[in-house]
Structure formats: C-alpha cells, structure tokens
C-alpha cells in the first residue's frame, strides 16, 4: 500500500501524485481524497480520472486527514494492493426507485466484506439511499463512508470514479477485505424533547407546531447565552445539533446547517416527521471520549492478523469546526495504533458493522480498520 | 413494567409511522423501518397467516428489511410457529404463548410477536434484547399494525373489485357500442347490399328481401315478399336438390342455381342459406343471400387463364430471382476474382476477392480502366491482341501479370467474356481472374528441376552407352580370342591357362551385362521387345545353352513341358530367356550334385492371354529363411561369404524380378536351407491365334555336349568393323563356324563392296569412321540399280546396347540386331536364320 499527499492543491500536483502511485508495484486500485479548497472542476479532473488503468474512487471534502495531519488544501492518494469494484450510481435526484437502481447497477453474488460509500453529502435523497442500500445489501457486510461536498453548502460534483467527478451521485466500492467499524459522537441532550411536527426529508419545518427556527433559536439562545440569527447560524448551531431518539444507542444527530427564508432548518440528513428530537450539546472532553470509544470499538472487533492495515477515519467536519484545536487530539486518538491513517472530514457519516440498522450519522466519528495485506 | 419517557417517545414514533399508506408494501416499509430504527434492530420480518380448507395454518413472508435476509431460513427454522403447516388448534396454542424471545449464541435475539388476525412480526436485534416494557407496549402497536395490514389488504381487494367492475363496465359498454355499431352496420349493409338478403318460410315463401332484390328480379321488394321462391327458379330439379341439402345439413354455401327475373331474363346465382330452427329443432325460417355471379362466372374463366399465365410468369420470376440471388452469392463469395467493366473497360463492379487480392477498395477500383492494374511487364502487343479479341465479341483467356495496390506483382489466369444485348452489342465485359502466382513460381521451379533431371538422365544414358562400349568391346576381344586360342593346338598348361582366362572373362562379361541391365532398370530404360516366338523352341534353346554351364558337375538338367501348354506366343522371348538362364545358372551355381528340374506350364488362360509358369528346382544348398524376403532385392546374397564362395554381383535375381514385373508377372521362391530351392515365375503373355498346344507332357534331360556344326554357306559374309580386335574375332568365329568372310573397316567401303560383290549377309558395326553403319545401310538400301544389295540381310553388330538402338538399326534398313559381346551361339543362330531365308529367296 502506498500513501502520498500533495499540499499544492493543484490539479497538476494531484496528477503527478496519481501517476506516481499508480505506477507503483502491486497497486490495483486508487483512493483519491481531495480538499474542497482545491476547487477542482470536472473539466480539469475528468480526463485524468478517465485515463487511469486501475479502478479509482474517492471524493472532495472540506478537509482530509493524513496521519495526524488535517489538510484543508491538497490531496491524498492511496494505492491499494487489492482489487476494488467501483459502482457509480448517478443522477439520483432523477431516480424514483433507488433499490431498482442498485439492483441494476451492481452484480449479484459479489464477494463484499466491506462496502465503502462516497456520497454527495448535501443531496436530499441520502435517507432514501441509505435505506435502499441496507434493504438491498443487508447486514452481511460492514459499511463505512461519508458525505462529500463543500462547506459552502452548494451542491456540486464531489465524488470520484473512473468516469470522472460526479454530481448528485454516490460511488459504492465493494472490497473483499475484512474490516471493523467503531462509531460514536458523545453529544448529550441539553433540552427536549421536541416533536418534529412537520418536515420534508432534511428540512425541519416545524417543531411542536411552531416554526422550527423559532423554537430552535429560543433554546440555543438560552443554552449559549448568545443570539442565534441567520448570519451567525452555523457558527452557533454547530454546537447544538438535534438528537433523534432511539433505543439502546446514542441518539442519531442531525446537524442544522442553515436556515431557509421560511424559517425551516436545513439539516445534514433526513429528519422524519413525527420524530422526537432533543437539542444536544457537547464539550471537547466528551467528544474526545467518544473518539476514544469509536477507536476502541474498531480495535476490539478487529481480529485481522495480516501484516498491513489501514485506518480510515470519517470524522464530521462540524466536529472539527466545533473542536477547533482539539480536533488534532481527536485524530490522534483515532490513530492510536501504528496503522497508517487517512480520513475525511465529512458532511455526514455512514457506518455499520452488522449489529444495527444502517444509519446516516451527523457529528459522529467513525473509525474503520481495514485489512490490507 | 412502566415505560420510560424515552420508551414512550419511541413507541409513539413507531405508532405514528403506521398506516400512512394503504399500499401494503409502502406502509410496511415506513412502519417496519421505524420499528428497526427506533428499537435499534437490524432486521424485521412480517409473516402473513394462510388458512387452508383443511383447517391448517401456514405462514408466508410478505415483507422484510433488509429485503434479502441471508439467515431468514435459519431464523424461521428455529421458531416452531413458522415451520411448515400447523393444525389450527395447535397454532392457536402457540399464538397464545406470544410474545416470545428466541436467543442464539452470538448475542442475537429474535422477538416473535403476534399481529392479530394477520400474522407475525419478527424483530432481530443484536447485543441485547428488547426490554419487557417495550415488548408489552408493542402489543397494542402491533395490533394497530395488523389492522393497518388488514386495511391494506381490504383496500387491495377493493381495488381489485373496483378494477374488475371497471373492466366489466367498460366491456359492457364496449359490447353495447359494438351491438349498436353492428345494428347500424347491418342496416347499412341491408340497405346497400349488392347481394340479395332473403328470409323464407320453411315452405319457400319469401318473408323478407333486401332492396337489392329489385335489381335482380325486376320487382320492388314489397311485391316480392310473399311470393314463392320456386316461381323464380328455371331449374326445378336443382332447386329441389338445394332444398334437400339445406334440410339435411342445415346450411348451404355457394350453391349455384339459375333464376329468372320478372321479365324472363335468366342469370346464374350463388346462394348461401341457413335453416333457422328453435331449441326443439323445429324449423323457423330460412335465411341467406343470393349473389348474381353471371359476370363472375365469365370473369372466373378469364381469371383462370390469367392466373395460369401469371403463375407461369411468377414461377419464372421466382426462379430468376432465386438464380439471381444464388448468382449474387456465388459472385460475392467466389474464391476467384470477378470484375465487370463497361464496353470501354472501365470497372463497374469488383467482388470481395478482388478487393482482398488487389488491395484496392471497391470505391477505388470502380470507374478505373482495367489498365490501371498493368504491371508494365507485358508488352503493348499482348494487350492489343486481348482487346482485338474481346472487342470483336470473342472470349479471351490468358495469363496476365498485374500489380496490386501495394506494388506486389502477381500472375493471374484471366478469362474475359463479353456480355451482349439481344442485338449482339457489347454491354459489359466480365473478367474472371484467379491468382496463379504460386503456380507460375512452382512451374518455373519445376521446369528448372526437370531440365536438371533431363540433363542428369542424358548424362547417365551417355555414360552407360560409353561404359558398355568401352568395356564390352575389349572384353569381347578377350573372350573371342581365348576361344580361338583354345581351338589351336596347346599343351596342357597352356590349355588350362586359356580356359581360366575364358572362364574369368565370361564371368566378367556376365557381371558387366547384369550391371548394365540393372542400371537400365533403375534408369527406367529397359524396354520390352515384343515379338512372336515358339515356346518349345525357346525352352529347348535355353536348355541347350544351360547344359554347357553344368561343366563337370554331376548334375542332370531335367526339363518338363506340360500337356496343353500353348506354344505360339507373343512376348519378349529374349528377356524371358534371360530370366530362365539367370535362375538356372543360379541353380547350377548353388548345386554341387543332384538334379535341376525346369518345368513350364500354363497356369491360367483367358481369351488371348496365358499365364505361363516356369519353375527351376534344384537339390542345392537352399535359401535361409531370413533371406527369403530380401533375396529379390538388389545386391542381396545369403551372406557375404556367399559372394566370396560362389561369386556374382547379387543383382541377378533383382533383374529377374524387374523383368518379370515388366511382363505383368510375379516371381517367388520356396526353400528350406540345405534342402534345395524352387524359384518360379509367372508371366502374362499373348497367345497367337490358333496356337498350337502341347498334346502331351514332354520331358527331357540334358548333359553337356559339343555344338553341332552349321551348314556351310555358298557366298561369303561381309564383316564391317573398324576395330582390329573385333575384326579378327568375328572373322575367326565365322571361320570356325565354317563360313567364308571378308572384312572392310568402314561403311563407305562396305557400300563399295556390296555393290561389286555378291555377299550372303553383312555383319555391320555402327560406330565407325568415314561412314557409320546406319548411314551405310541406308545407302545400300537405296541402291535401286543393285537389286541384290537392296535385299541383302544386314545384321547390326554393335556394342551400343542402349534403349532405342535396336529400333534405330531396324529403321535404317537393317534386318536384325546383335549386341556385343557376340555370343557365338546367337551369332550362329542368326546367320543360319538369314542364310536360310536368303537361300529361299535365291
């Protein structure tokens, strides 16, 4: 396995890196993780991605992680010494039946131990896609992945495959390699519950029959001692996500990313109508404890005895934004063992190791251990 | 147990997710996914109960998340309720035990809950089971889910019912519309029908007719109704027959009947009619139609003729089309190149083979003049001849050296044929071309190889001729002279020496002759000289000759010629003798004492052919078994010591075999070592007409004795020989035979001599200075002024022993041919033969 990074943030830098890694001995697939700040466009990147002789996959994220280093510019190229089956599922907004779409794009009886999911993090169909994914593939394999895209919250081409940079799409990567997954967020209920009396996929329109922003801002104002308005919305809201109740496990969080002109809250991920939500809060300490818990879960479940392992970190960008300098500690916690670590600061996280219903998380840290050789 | 607020929220959310749709799958998808999410379960299954008429119950999976649960069969296999079919009472008992939780070793829990009056809900959870408080709360929620499921099913049934009703209404509406349309259509048809629709009473009275009846019968409809149909018929017998058929069969179609109109005009009709009967088979009425087919009948005849003509034409067209397709396929798939040009030679079509071969595409070739393929290696005159031939409307065939697109030169066998119009004008040329480059190259190589082979053959022939001349001539001298010397007075020692010399020279001569024969066989130059001969005479000759070979050995040479053997035969007696001599000589050579039996008999006869078998048996050393297979191969003797002890080249039997096979025969040997051998051969010979046959088997035994002296001729013999040794030898032999002879050294002097002196016979050498023997013979034969010279027997005496020599001599005018070395006996025989004739002629 070869891991190289380029901090120039230029396409030329990525091209050189890709060619360098692709030409290395035994490289059978490439994972390419790039920063949004590079501002790559399909016109520039597509010829490069389409010219590759090995399968390629990955995405563009607000930030990426190599070792203990968070990068906001540049890219990381990972040369994998095993084969990867890459399936782009394109133009999902136009698809009525995502299950049918998966059925027709992905062969049956494929040997999959680990499914990596690179998905447009700002797409409204994520909930339906995750449901369809679990319904079709079940709990027979592990899932790890995260939402790609930009903190500008503008939807644009952000996932990579051999066809180029795709918009409104997901890329599924089937690996016949063992893995273990640990997931946690650490956030705790600060206020609630509130009932989601009206929602539309990832948009909370009303809480307790009142405009969602009004209810949310009142609570956040009380909790933070600051005034939440449209201008400072995410700056403050990143510390007060919604938590959706479930039994026996941490709540599933929804990060309120913005507020629309009607006072509806736009979240990263679906919020079901009728759900009870709490407004959550967390400190760096509890968040770091959660990171440690995720890392421990992954390590304890990983019975792989091969020589080479890869730690793949999917850490919510809002955690990074919230934790600021402490985020370094979080990464360090995740790469506590000697295995090389690469990761993404995602817009939503996807993780499952066969014990739960597949969920699209927010504000969570996912630590994946993958057996390489 | 009381629920916690969290559990209440969860249960509330689950309950709220139920019943949001009346579509079962959609409703269950939302509800079950909420169950799973909220309860943190990894899978859920909804089973529906099915009751069979025999009061048994079974469960069928109607929904699950995930869609395909790998271990579903395992899960259900562990739950008694879901297994196979259960008695209703048994299942009721089991249902009363619900909810139940099944636990498996790997921290997997399966909660089985009842969906009342619908089926079962199975929830699979990892790590830890659902709390009892939740399970209890779920019972009422599950009731709601079961109710929602029932509602969905009812809705489904209702939808189906509505759909069916809609379909029925639509169908009925369609049927009504169809009926109305049909009625309108019927009315329209009735009003406008050209044929006459009618309804009759069973007795034949008209109940109803269409308005068109007026055109046919000349009366308005109202007048016709009530009339009896029989009044309109002109052929009562046919009408009655029609009615009878109708009564018997219930319906009649296209029944031809002659009817008449009110004004007496008759016409031919085709009638269709059906007997309408009530449910008790009582006749109600007759309905049907009448069509005036008078014109149709006329048209039918015309149509029949036209159809026959059309079929004939169509058949021809089909055939032509098939042929055309076949031709097209043949041309397209042809292994030879096909090019079609206009009359000026501009290409209009090339087939794929041409494209493949020339390298030009169809587009590149089309429109080009054929001359664009010229290689420039064939001159203009060649092409002018070609064009002269084809533009005169003739076909042309020849070989062209053309050039492909890539510059490659290739030979093609070309056949060009003009395609003419009916006036003989040329429309196109068709060229069929086959690449023969490989053949031309092969021919060239072959030609060179053949030239080399011919040269080698010529050299070998010349070599053999030279060898025979150069060896045999001096050898002839040695044998002859030693023979003469033996005839002089010699003391014993000298006599012994001379005998040895002669014996050695004879052996050498035999060996050389064998080698030459073998060489000729190998060169394929051994030709048969077929002529008439007397079998008995030939056999006697051979025995006479062979007795001399016995020498002092205590051997008896027995001979037996069987009864009925044909005697007057046609074949190469000289070669037949050679085989016999060879076998007998071998027998003598390998037999120290005892006897040698030579038997001759006919083994089979067919029309003018006879298979003659001659065998030579001896009491000699015999042949080793291991040698029997190879004894007829060249240079084979039993072992190397044989050749040392008995001498010989080892090719005698190979020569025999070749000669026999050339006479379409076979040769073989039967032998046991130490017990003698029998060599036999069979040859196919031609019987002469009215051949004599041996009346009885004759036998004879031979012992060596001196040859008898010949009759002395009156006139001298002229010997023409340039070689002094041969001159001397021949003269001495003749003298010894009692003939007077004279010698001249060349052909020129020979001509002079025969013109001026009367000779009984000329022995003529071939190769001589001044004038050779052949030329001299031609001159002698041409001397018309000297009639005696033109008929004088001339015998060639030459060391030339090659193929064709004998023919050359005979063609030059010679009477016979003797090859050197001269065999005294043969010389004597031939002299006697011609002297005798000469005497008769004189």
């Amino acid at each position: 396995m070869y891991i190289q990074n380029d901090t120039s943030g230029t396409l030329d830098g990525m091209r050189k890196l890709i060619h360098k890694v692709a030409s290395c001995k035994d490289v059978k697939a490439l994972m390419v993780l790039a920063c949004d700040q590079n501002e790559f466009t399909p016109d520039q990147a597509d010829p490069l991605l389409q010219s590759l002789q090995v399968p390629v996959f990955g995405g563009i994220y607000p930030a990426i992680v190599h070792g203990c280093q968070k990068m906001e510019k540049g890219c990381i190229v990972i040369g994998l010494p095993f084969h990867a089956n890459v399936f782009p599922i394109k133009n999902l907004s136009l698809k009525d039946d995502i299950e049918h779409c998966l059925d027709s794009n992905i062969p049956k009886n494929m040997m999959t131990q680990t499914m990596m999911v690179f998905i447009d993090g700002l797409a409204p169909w994520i909930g339906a896609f995750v449901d369809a994914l679990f319904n079709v593939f079940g709990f027979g394999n592990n899932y790890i992945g995260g939402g790609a895209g930009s903190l500008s919250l503008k939807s644009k081409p952000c996932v990579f495959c051999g066809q180029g940079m795709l918009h409104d799409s997901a890329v599924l990567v089937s690996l016949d390699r063992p893995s273990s997954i640990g997931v946690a967020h650490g956030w705790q209920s600060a206020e609630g519950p509130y009932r989601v009396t009206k929602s539309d996929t990832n948009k909370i329109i009303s809480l307790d029959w009142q405009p969602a922003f009004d209810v949310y801002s009142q609570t956040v104002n009380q909790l933070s001692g600051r005034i939440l308005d449209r201008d400072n919305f995410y700056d403050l809201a990143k510390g007060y996500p919604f938590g959706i109740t479930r039994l026996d496990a941490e709540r599933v969080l929804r990060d309120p990313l913005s507020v629309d002109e009607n006072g509806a809250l736009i979240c990263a991920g679906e919020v079901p109508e009728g759900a009870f939500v709490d407004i959550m809060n967390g400190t760096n300490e509890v968040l770091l404890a959660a990171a440690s818990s995720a890392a421990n879960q992954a390590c304890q479940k990983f019975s792989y005895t091969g020589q080479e392992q890869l730690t793949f970190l999917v850490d919510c960008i809002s955690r990074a934004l919230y934790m600021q300098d402490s985020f370094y500690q979080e990464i360090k916690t995740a790469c506590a063992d000697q295995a090389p670590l690469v990761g993404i600061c995602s817009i939503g996280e996807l993780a499952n190791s066969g014990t739960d219903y597949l969920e699209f998380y927010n504000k969570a840290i996912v630590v994946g251990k993958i057996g390489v050789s | 147990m009381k629920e916690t607020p969290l559990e209440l929220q969860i249960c509330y959310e689950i309950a709220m997710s139920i019943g949001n749709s009346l579509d079962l799958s959609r409703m269950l998808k939302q509800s079950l996914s909420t169950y799973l999410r909220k309860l943190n379960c990894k899978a859920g299954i909804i089973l529906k109960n099915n009751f069979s008429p025999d009061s048994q119950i079974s469960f069928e999976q109607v929904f699950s998340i995930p869609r395909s649960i790998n271990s579903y069969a395992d899960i259900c296999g562990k739950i008694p309720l879901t297994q196979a079919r259960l008695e209703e009472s048994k299942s009721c008992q089991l249902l009363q035990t619900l909810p139940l939780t099944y636990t498996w070793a790997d921290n997997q829990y399966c909660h089985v809950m009842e969906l009342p009056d619908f089926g079962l809900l199975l929830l699979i959870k990892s790590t830890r089971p659902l709390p009892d408080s939740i399970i209890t709360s779920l019972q009422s929620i599950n009731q709601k889910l079961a109710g929602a499921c029932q509602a969905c099913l009812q809705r489904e049934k209702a939808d189906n019912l509505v759909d069916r009703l809609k379909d029925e209404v639509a169908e009925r509406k369609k049927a009504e519309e169809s009926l109305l349309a049909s009625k309108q259509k019927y009315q329209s048809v009735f009003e406008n029908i050209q044929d006459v629709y009618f309804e009759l009473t069973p007795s034949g009275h008209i109940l109803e007719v269409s308005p068109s009846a007026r055109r046919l019968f000349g009366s308005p409809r109202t007048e016709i109704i009530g009339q009896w149909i029989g009044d309109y018929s002109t052929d009562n017998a046919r009408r009655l027959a029609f009615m009878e058929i109708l009564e018997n069969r219930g319906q009649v179609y296209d029944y031809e009947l002659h009817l008449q109109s009110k004004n007496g005009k008759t016409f031919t009709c085709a009638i269709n009619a059906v007997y309408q009967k009530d449910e008790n088979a009582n006749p109600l009425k007759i309905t049907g139609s009448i069509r005036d087919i008078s014109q149709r009948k006329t048209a039918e005849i015309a149509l029949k003729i036209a159809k026959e003509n059309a079929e004939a034409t169509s058949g021809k067209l089909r055939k032509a089309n098939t042929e055309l397709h076949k031709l097209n396929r043949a041309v397209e798939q042809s292994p030879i190149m096909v090019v079609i040009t206009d009359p000026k030679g501009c290409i209009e079509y090339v087939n794929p083979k041409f494209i493949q071969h020339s390298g030009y595409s169809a587009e590149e070739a089309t429109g080009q003049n054929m001359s664009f393929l010229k290689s420039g290696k064939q001159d203009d005159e060649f092409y002018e001849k070609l064009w002269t031939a084809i533009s005169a409307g003739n076909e042309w065939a020849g070989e062209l050296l053309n050039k492909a697109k890539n510059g490659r030169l290739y030979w093609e066998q070309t056949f060009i044929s003009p395609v003419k119009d009916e006036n003989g004008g040329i429309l196109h040329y068709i060229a069929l071309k086959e690449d023969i480059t490989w053949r031309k190259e092969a021919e060239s190589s072959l030609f060179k190889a053949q030239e080399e082979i011919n040269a080698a053959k010529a050299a070998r022939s010349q070599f053999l001729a030279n060898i025979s001349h150069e060896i045999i001539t001096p050898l002839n001298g040695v044998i002859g002279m030693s023979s003469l010397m033996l005839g002089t007075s010699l003391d014993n020692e000298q006599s012994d020496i001379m005998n040895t010399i002669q014996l050695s020279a004879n052996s050498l001569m035999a060996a050389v002759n064998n080698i030459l024969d073998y060489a000729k066989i190998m060169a394929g130059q051994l030709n048969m000289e077929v002529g008439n001969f007397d079998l008995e005479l030939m056999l006697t000759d051979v025995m006479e000759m062979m007795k001399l070979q016995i020498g002092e050995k205590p051997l008896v040479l027995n001979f037996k010629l069987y009864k009925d053997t044909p005697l007057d035969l046609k074949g190469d007696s000289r070669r037949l003798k050679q085989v016999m001599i060879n076998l007998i000589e071998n027998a003598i050579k390998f037999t120290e004492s005892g006897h040698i039996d030579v038997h001759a008999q006919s083994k089979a006869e067919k029309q003018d052919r006879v298979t003659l078998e001659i065998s030579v048996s001896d009491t000699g050393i015999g042949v080793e078994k291991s040698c029997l297979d190879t004894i007829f191969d060249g240079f084979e003797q039993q072992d190397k010591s044989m050749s040392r002890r008995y001498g010989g080249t080892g090719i005698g039997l190979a020569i025999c075999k070749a000669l026999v096979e050339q006479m379409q025969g076979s040769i073989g040997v039967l032998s046991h070592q130490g017990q003698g051998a029998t060599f036999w051969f069979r040859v196919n010979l031609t019987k002469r007409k009215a051949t004599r046959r041996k009346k009885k088997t004759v036998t004879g035994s031979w012992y060596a004795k001196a040859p008898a002296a010949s009759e002395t001729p009156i006139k001298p013999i002229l010997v023409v020989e340039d070689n002094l040794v041969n001159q001397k030898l021949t003269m001495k032999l003749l003298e010894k035979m009692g003939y007077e002879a004279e010698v001249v050294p060349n052909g020129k002097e020979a001509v002079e001599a025969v013109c001026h002196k009367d000779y009984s016979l000329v022995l003529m050498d071939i190769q001589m200075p001044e004038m050779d023997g052949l030329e001299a013979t031609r001159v002698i034969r041409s001397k018309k002024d000297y009639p005696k010279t033109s008929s004088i027997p001339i015998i060639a005496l030459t060391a030339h022993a090659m193929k064709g020599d004998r023919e050359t001599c005979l063609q030059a005018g010679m009477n016979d041919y003797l090859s050197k070395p001269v065999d005294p006996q043969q010389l004597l025989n031939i002299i006697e033969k011609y002297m005798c004739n000469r005497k008769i002629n004189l």
Side-chain angles (χ1 to χ4, degrees), chain B residues 654-668:
Chain B
I655 293 167
C656 289
K657 183 168 185 270
L659 291 173
V660 167
E661 284 174 352
Q662 204 147 352
M663 288 185 266
Q664 290 92 48
S666 54
I667 191 164

Side-chain angles (χ1 to χ4, degrees), chain B residues 413-426:
Chain B
Q413 177 75 46
T414 304
F415 181 84
I416 304 175
S417 177
V419 179
K420 298 173 186 172
D421 61 18
E422 59 273 18
N423 302 318
I426 295 172

Side-chain angles (χ1 to χ4, degrees), chain B residues 21 74 91 108 125 155 230 235 239 246 253 268 278 351 481 483 492-493 495 510 556 577 595 630 632 689 731 785 808:
Chain B
S21 170
D74 286 348
S91 78
Q108 304 287 314
K125 197 170 184 319
R155 164 69 184 267
D235 187 344
R239 183 182 61 78
L246 189 58
Y253 293 106
T268 311
D278 65 14
N351 75 339
M481 285 304 175
S483 178
N492 286 344
E493 191 184 353
S495 186
V556 181
K577 269 184 185 177
H595 52 86
T630 54
F632 291 103
K689 277 183 187 172
M731 293 299 284
D785 301 341
T808 312

Side-chain angles (χ1 to χ4, degrees), chain B residues 545-555 588 703-705:
Chain B
M545 282 166 66
M546 288 298 99
K547 74 181 180 187
L548 299 172
Q549 300 279 331
I550 295 169
E552 292 177 357
K553 279 189 175 177
L555 280 173
I588 293 168
Y703 304 90
K705 61 179 182 181

Side-chain angles (χ1 to χ4, degrees), chain B residues 266-393:
Chain B
T266 60
F267 48 89
T268 311
C269 290
I271 301 180
N272 294 330
V274 178
Y275 222 125
Q276 308 280 355
K277 294 179 181 175
D278 65 14
E279 61 270 24
N280 300 319
N282 298 315
L284 290 173
K285 59 183 177 181
I286 298 162
T287 60
S289 66
I290 302 170
R291 173 173 293 183
D292 179 358
I293 59 164
S294 305
Q295 285 182 346
R296 194 182 88 190
K297 293 298 280 183
T298 314
E300 268 178 8
I301 295 166
L303 190 67
K304 193 180 172 194
I305 295 166
K307 199 176 170 187
E308 281 170 4
N309 289 340
E311 274 174 5
T313 312
S314 164
K316 281 179 191 166
L317 269 173
R318 253 197 322 273
K319 196 176 170 192
N321 203 23
T322 308
E323 292 295 323
L324 196 63
H325 275 293
K326 210 186 286 173
L327 203 59
N328 186 41
R329 270 201 304 277
V331 170
E332 285 289 315
Q333 296 170 16
S334 169
I336 62 172
M337 296 173 261
V338 180
V339 178
I340 301 176
T341 73
D342 68 5
K344 289 179 181 171
C346 289
I347 295 173
E348 294 178 334
Y349 168 81
V350 291
N351 75 339
K353 188 70 184 174
F354 174 89
I355 294 165
Q356 179 200 344
H357 206 82
S358 68
Y360 291 105
S361 67
E363 290 73 28
E364 286 171 330
T366 308
Q368 294 268 19
N369 192 285
M370 280 300 284
S371 60
F372 89 114
L373 293 168
K374 274 184 182 178
S375 63
K377 304 280 182 188
Q378 285 168 306
D379 55 27
D380 292 342
E381 195 187 343
F382 176 83
Y383 291 104
E384 276 166 23
K385 280 184 185 168
L386 185 160
W387 273 105
T388 307
I390 60 172
S391 54

